Amino acid sequence: MLTKDAHRVQMTAETTSDLGFEFTVVVPAFNERDNVAPLIARIDAALPDVRWQVIYVDDNSPDGTAQAVKAIAQTDPRVSCIRRIGRRGLAGAVTEGMLASAAPYIAVIDADLQHDETLLKPMFDLLKADKADLVIASRYSGDGAADAGFSATRAAGSRFATRLARLVLKVDVTDPVSGFFALQRRIIDEAAPKLATDGFKILFDIIAAHSGRLRIAELAYVFRERLAGDSKLDSRVVLDYLGLILARASNNFISPRLLLFGLVGASGVAVHILVLRLLPDAVAFFPAQFLAALVAMTTNFFINNAVTYRDRRRHGLGLITGYVQFCALCSVGFLANLAVANQMAQWFGGRLLAGATGAVFGAIWNYVSTALAVW
Ligand code: GDD
Ligand code: MN
């Protein structure tokens, strides 16, 4: 909206007017087409007298979620959609949506109607009255209940994740992994460069980025059952989350990717030993060793490509050249491993210490070189 009013033009970026949106509701969405119109209607009903806008962040959902949002945006300028190509990840999507906002207050809510949108107004009121920097809609505090939308294992896992997060964050919040929260925009403007873009736990990461200095309020709600579409929270997401906690607990020394690479590397050692054991004794040591290393490198490459570097996965011809590169680099790592182990054995004698040091050297080489060259 433009104004003829001259003084408005001179407003600085941080001043708020009575013209722009005052509350941005960010909605991350992947394959949520059928939930788009109902959610926007509910947000509208929940925020009377608030100049709200809703920004969907869609990761190019095959079901046409973006088109559904844009159809509504055609007739309602409060609605917009960021469609991201070639990227997946809830945390990154949420961050991007928040950074697109110019409003002083921002909320994040799931697209699938599992969150109780009637909390949006009390969240907004708390932020506007400057009673909090961050308001979390919590599934645990007070009357909040997670039961309806949750399986028993999921509930237990969620409780465990919550306890772990509280331990690391050292702040006393009941639901630090909630996907439903609201904050003053400056909180995200400051934290954004430090946030991980993959994984589900954006709220956890925002709190960690501000290391315990936020004024946090919590509102309880009942986590509803999902009506349409499927949950995207899978085992990979859980692994991501544990990696993130480890990274933040170690002051970012151990990256989630390094952890995954290490796990895959360890499985490679297991494969190597398995191949050695399966080969008949008649096979000489050198060819056996060579074959085992080749099989282990191959499984490692494909697992890393599918898991560790899922976001930059290689396909087609790139997959083959990537594989050759990976093997070439890892064989250098293997040689480094042997050389270091040999040297250590000469200096200190102990086979185990020497072998382990060699393996660590080899692993570091493999991680750094393949991270730089292959993915
Ligand atoms: N853009 C984008 N990209 N959106 C995504 C992606 C993605 O890669 N993955 C999931 N979403 C969207 C979904 O469409 C949904 O709106 C929201 O993010 C949450 O995803 P769900 O798959 O419905 O998650 P959930 O209901 O199992 O998990 C809920 O509880 C978690 C805590 O246990 C969510 O509230 C999570 O945010 C929360 O961390
Ligand atoms: Mn959900």
Side-chain angles (χ1 to χ4, degrees):
M1 232 186 305
L2 284 175
T3 172
K4 296 183 192 96
D5 212 343
H7 78 270
R8 295 208 187 277
V9 181
Q10 289 159 15
M11 278 187 324
T12 68
E14 296 306 318
T15 329
T16 56
S17 75
D18 49 4
L19 281 175
F21 297 118
E22 52 187 342
F23 197 29
T24 300
V25 182
V26 173
V27 185
F30 190 76
N31 284 345
E32 305 282 3
R33 182 194 56 213
D34 297 337
N35 292 321
V36 169
L39 180 66
I40 295 175
R42 288 187 190 194
I43 292 174
D44 193 20
L47 292 171
D49 312 318
V50 178
R51 288 192 319 281
W52 60 268
Q53 76 175 145
V54 51
I55 301 180
Y56 270 81
V57 187
D58 164 70
D59 285 352
N60 202 26
S61 306
D63 79 342
T65 301
Q67 287 89 318
V69 179
K70 289 178 185 183
I72 299 173
Q74 269 291 302
T75 59
D76 190 340
R78 299 171 299 182
V79 176
S80 63
C81 179
I82 298 172
R83 177 177 162 210
R84 310 196 306 166
I85 305 291
R87 275 182 293 167
R88 271 300 300 277
L90 181 54
V94 166
T95 305
E96 237 170 278
M98 290 195 281
L99 292 180
S101 163
Y105 316 111
I106 302 175
V108 177
I109 190 169
D110 284 357
D112 56 7
L113 310 173
Q114 285 194 283
H115 294 157
D116 180 358
E117 72 290 335
T118 62
L119 283 191
L120 287 170
K121 184 65 169 60
M123 286 171 144
F124 173 78
D125 290 340
L126 278 168
L127 293 172
K128 192 166 184 181
D130 200 23
K131 294 224 169 71
D133 300 316
L134 170 69
V135 187
I136 303 173
S138 165
R139 294 164 295 179
Y140 300 94
S141 72
D143 317 317
D147 299 324
F150 261 167
S151 68
T153 38
R154 175 78 193 270
S158 177
R159 266 197 303 277
F160 173 70
T162 301
R163 239 174 263 144
L164 217 61
R166 273 150 78 178
L167 212 69
V168 173
L169 293 175
K170 298 183 195 77
V171 293
D172 195 23
V173 291
T174 42
D175 199 358
V177 296
S178 172
F180 186 18
F181 58 90
L183 38 70
Q184 314 258 2
R185 177 163 52 82
R186 63 178 162 74
I187 300 303
I188 186 64
D189 285 343
E190 282 165 27
K194 299 182 201 155
L195 303 177
T197 53
D198 52 359
F200 259 50
K201 307 307 169 188
I202 177 73
L203 176 61
F204 169 88
D205 216 11
I206 292 173
I207 299 175
H210 285 271
S211 34
R213 284 185 304 266
L214 294 179
R215 293 173 302 151
I216 303 176
E218 290 187 274
L219 299 173
Y221 79 104
V222 179
F223 191 55
R224 295 185 196 129
E225 222 147 336
R226 196 180 236 284
L227 295 177
D230 303 310
S231 169
K232 282 99 205 167
L233 196 148
D234 54 15
S235 48
R236 162 70 210 239
V237 167
V238 175
L239 217 71
D240 268 347
Y241 174 53
L242 294 177
L244 182 62
I245 290 190
L246 202 71
R248 299 304 180 242
S250 67
N251 241 325
N252 296 327
F253 181 68
I254 305 170
S255 81
R257 225 191 269 282
L258 177 62
L259 189 73
L260 272 175
F261 195 90
L263 284 174
V264 177
S267 78
V269 173
V271 169
H272 188 107
I273 292 170
L274 189 75
V275 173
L276 279 183
R277 297 201 61 174
L278 286 177
L279 285 171
D281 290 340
V283 182
F285 180 69
F286 182 76
Q289 188 68 347
F290 181 82
L291 192 71
L294 196 68
V295 174
M297 278 192 296
T298 307
T299 54
N300 271 17
F301 173 76
F302 285 102
I303 301 176
N304 274 322
N305 194 51
V307 180
T308 316
Y309 294 98
R310 189 175 62 163
D311 52 332
R312 332 180 184 156
R313 201 179 302 167
R314 302 182 64 122
H315 302 275
L317 194 66
L319 189 69
I320 299 168
T321 57
Y323 171 65
V324 173
Q325 257 179 309
F326 185 84
C327 288
L329 291 167
C330 286
S331 56
V332 178
F334 188 63
L335 290 179
N337 174 343
L338 289 182
V340 170
N342 227 334
Q343 193 52 250
M344 288 293 286
Q346 276 178 17
W347 284 343
F348 303 104
R351 279 175 66 105
L352 211 66
L353 177 73
T357 319
V360 168
F361 260 82
I364 294 175
W365 164 268
N366 287 348
Y367 177 67
V368 174
S369 62
T370 60
L372 291 177
V374 183
W375 285 283

